[in-house]
Every structure is written in structure tokens, then in C-alpha cells.
Amino acid sequence: MRMDEIKQKVEIAYPCRWGYKVIGEDREAMHRAIGSLLQDCACTVIPSHSSATGKYHCLNVEVTVDCEAKRVAIYEALKGDQAFKIVL
């Protein structure tokens, strides 16, 4: 198989619930950032794992998105905030 045959774009039916996984050092700062960035969206924040040393914390954020532009905009907003080290 050629690489261009493998890289097919997945079709997403909007609106849909979309999940983001955010990782950072300060759990409270992460919650504040999510509240500030997603204040216009109803979202669910579910605590996930913390590192063995407790330095890093992971939160799962679920939000309903109505189009790809909104989904990407939320990702970019989360990625651009200093409260998060990693956004998946």
C-alpha cells in the first residue's frame, strides 16, 4: 500500500461529543483555564491519572462541537494556554 492510500481523512458527523486530554502540573490552574477558554461551551471535565510523583495531572475534557473549525479552535486554544503541557 502507498502512503497516500493509508492517509485517508476520517469522516466525523457533526454535531458530536469530542474529547480532549490535557496534561499539566497545576490541576487548579488547568480547571481555571478550561473554565475560561470554554465558558461558552457546556463541557464535562473528568479527572484522569496523575504521575507517580504527583507532578503531572491529566484531565479528560468532553465538549459538543458542531463543526471541524470549532473542534480545531478548541484544540488550539487549549494548546496555547500555559496551564497545559500537552493537549491530545
Side-chain angles (χ1 to χ4, degrees):
M1 255 186 168
R2 295 184 346 219
M3 188 58 88
D4 59 335
E5 292 174 343
I6 296 172
K7 291 184 178 182
Q8 294 178 7
K9 189 170 182 175
V10 175
E11 292 293 322
I12 301 171
Y14 294 100
C16 66
R17 290 293 283 174
W18 194 263
Y20 302 90
K21 185 175 289 279
V22 294
I23 301 170
E25 294 180 11
D26 184 338
R27 189 178 305 177
E28 294 306 315
M30 292 167 60
H31 277 283
R32 285 192 302 274
I34 291 166
S36 175
L37 295 169
L38 300 179
Q39 62 185 342
D40 296 334
C41 304
C43 67
T44 304
V45 179
I46 302 166
S48 188
H49 301 286
S50 292
S51 64
T53 61
K55 182 175 180 178
Y56 295 102
H57 307 283
C58 181
L59 301 174
N60 293 319
V61 181
E62 289 187 6
V63 63
T64 299
V65 293
D66 54 7
C67 65
E68 182 174 358
K70 181 73 172 183
R71 180 179 61 81
V72 172
I74 292 171
Y75 171 79
E76 293 297 334
L78 292 169
K79 187 177 172 190
D81 195 286
Q82 294 180 7
F84 310 113
K85 300 290 183 192
I86 299 173
V87 179
L88 305 171

